[in-house]
Amino acid sequence: MLMGEYLHTIDDKGRLILPAKFREELGENFIVTKGLDNCLFIYEKKEWDILASKLKQLPLAKPEARAFVRFFFSGGAEISCDKQGRILLPNTLREYAQLDKDVTVIGVSNRIELWNRSSWDAYNEKIAPTVAQIAESLVDLGI
């Protein structure tokens, strides 16, 4: 399971060091793509295959399904770590998530999220007062 929060920086060449704990979970090659809330999602290959299979089952006739599938697949890239544990993030993905220097790397169960640090801080400030209400609404989902 992927969990935890780490502060890292992107170097001038667009490389980011992933925490060793996460590298072990991801394996040799993994997928990075545009995520929701203007962050990037990183999936271990097996998890990506599960998600891709579900996305392929969405009805092609529905415009919102096509849009959602396009969003995830068009931004996807298979990447790997170099010997120093760094990943090279494609420029288009760095631009999408506004990753220029300071990055927060978080584990979210079956994926890693890469956030612009100030965006992550603003998100947490916004969501913190409503976490109890969100928890109450999740009771209906059996959580």
Side-chain angles (χ1 to χ4, degrees), residues 6-17 87 89 91 93-95 97-105 114-119:
Y6 304 87
L7 305 178
H8 286 271
T9 56
I10 291 180
D11 68 17
D12 294 335
K13 295 180 181 178
R15 298 174 301 191
L16 173 74
I17 295 176
I87 57 172
L89 294 167
N91 192 46
L93 293 178
R94 288 196 321 266
E95 287 175 3
Q98 301 171 345
L99 302 178
D100 49 8
K101 186 73 172 164
D102 296 323
V103 177
T104 301
V105 181
L114 305 180
W115 285 77
N116 169 294
R117 191 167 304 160
S118 60
S119 295

Side-chain angles (χ1 to χ4, degrees), residues 31-34 48 70-79 90 93:
I31 306 298
V32 61
T33 193
K34 292 181 278 187
W48 175 257
R70 285 181 187 129
F71 177 79
F72 277 104
F73 283 99
S74 68
E78 186 171 339
I79 59 174
L93 293 178

Side-chain angles (χ1 to χ4, degrees), residues 30-42:
F30 40 91
I31 306 298
V32 61
T33 193
K34 292 181 278 187
L36 304 174
D37 302 311
N38 286 89
C39 69
L40 299 182
F41 288 172
I42 298 178

Side-chain angles (χ1 to χ4, degrees), residues 13-116:
K13 295 180 181 178
R15 298 174 301 191
L16 173 74
I17 295 176
L18 281 182
K21 177 180 168 184
F22 289 171
R23 292 193 307 263
E24 292 171 15
E25 294 272 342
L26 289 172
E28 194 170 314
N29 296 308
F30 40 91
I31 306 298
V32 61
T33 193
K34 292 181 278 187
L36 304 174
D37 302 311
N38 286 89
C39 69
L40 299 182
F41 288 172
I42 298 178
Y43 290 96
E44 182 262 336
K45 290 272 287 180
K46 195 183 311 181
E47 286 291 334
W48 175 257
D49 290 343
I50 292 168
L51 176 61
S53 177
K54 290 177 182 178
L55 291 175
K56 287 177 189 176
Q57 294 174 17
L58 293 175
L60 187 60
K62 291 198 170 252
E64 58 275 356
R66 290 193 309 271
F68 197 69
V69 170
R70 285 181 187 129
F71 177 79
F72 277 104
F73 283 99
S74 68
E78 186 171 339
I79 59 174
S80 59
C81 288
D82 65 13
K83 292 179 182 177
Q84 286 78 36
R86 299 174 300 193
I87 57 172
L88 177 60
L89 294 167
N91 192 46
T92 54
L93 293 178
R94 288 196 321 266
E95 287 175 3
Y96 167 78
Q98 301 171 345
L99 302 178
D100 49 8
K101 186 73 172 164
D102 296 323
V103 177
T104 301
V105 181
I106 62 171
V108 188
S109 182
N110 68 337
R111 70 179 179 274
I112 296 167
E113 294 183 359
L114 305 180
W115 285 77
N116 169 294

